[in-house]
Amino acid sequence: MHEYPLTQKIIKIAEKYALEHKADHVSKINLVIGNDSGVLADSILLYFEIIAENTICENAEIVIERVKPLLKCKKCGQYFERKPFSFSCTFKDCGGDGEPTEIGREFYVKSIEIE
Ligand SMILES: [Zn+2]
């Protein structure tokens, strides 16, 4: 649902970047989307085609990097991927409990390539 304004924002960021660097065209936009961010990558791609039409971003390639959600162990401090139905640390013999982190909730423009 909120992918439309997000996509508009991405295009604005890319346009600003291209103007600042006096580029003719945005060729590639690299995004980072966490699996827990609630952002649907497919919707971003769909909206992008529509919104970017007739802009400096038209036909730019969108590359999406997915980030898996991780927990941080309270005992050993390491980040680990949660197993189904478990919050326990997956490092050997640790047995600590994990607490949620911001990893996996990211959503940002990583880099923009211009021509
Ligand atoms: Zn641990």
Side-chain angles (χ1 to χ4, degrees):
M1 287 288 272
H2 60 304
E3 278 79 4
Y4 190 88
L6 283 176
T7 309
Q8 286 179 312
K9 212 181 254 180
I10 293 164
I11 291 171
K12 279 219 177 83
I13 292 168
E15 276 180 335
K16 189 167 176 259
Y17 182 85
L19 282 174
E20 279 170 7
H21 293 81
K22 298 182 170 54
D24 298 322
H25 186 243
V26 174
S27 51
K28 203 183 207 180
I29 302 173
N30 295 298
L31 298 176
V32 175
I33 303 179
N35 285 352
D36 271 5
S37 65
V39 177
L40 298 173
D42 289 350
S43 302
I44 297 274
L45 293 174
L46 190 76
Y47 288 135
F48 185 83
E49 262 188 54
I50 300 163
I51 306 169
E53 209 181 343
N54 300 319
T55 73
I56 200 168
C57 296
E58 189 170 14
N59 298 324
E61 186 188 350
I62 304 289
V63 178
I64 293 171
E65 186 184 319
R66 304 303 305 238
V67 180
K68 280 186 182 170
L70 295 177
L71 297 178
K72 188 182 185 193
C73 178
K74 286 179 197 166
K75 200 171 162 190
C76 69
Q78 305 220 58
Y79 290 93
F80 61 95
E81 218 176 295
R82 189 169 83 82
K83 285 194 177 148
F85 310 112
S86 166
F87 290 94
S88 299
C89 179
T90 53
F91 285 93
K92 246 188 175 169
D93 302 328
C94 172
D97 287 327
E99 54 188 10
T101 70
E102 291 304 306
I103 295 172
R105 291 180 208 168
E106 297 88 342
F107 177 75
Y108 60 91
V109 177
K110 189 183 181 189
S111 58
I112 296 161
E113 291 171 31
I114 47 178
E115 282 164 6

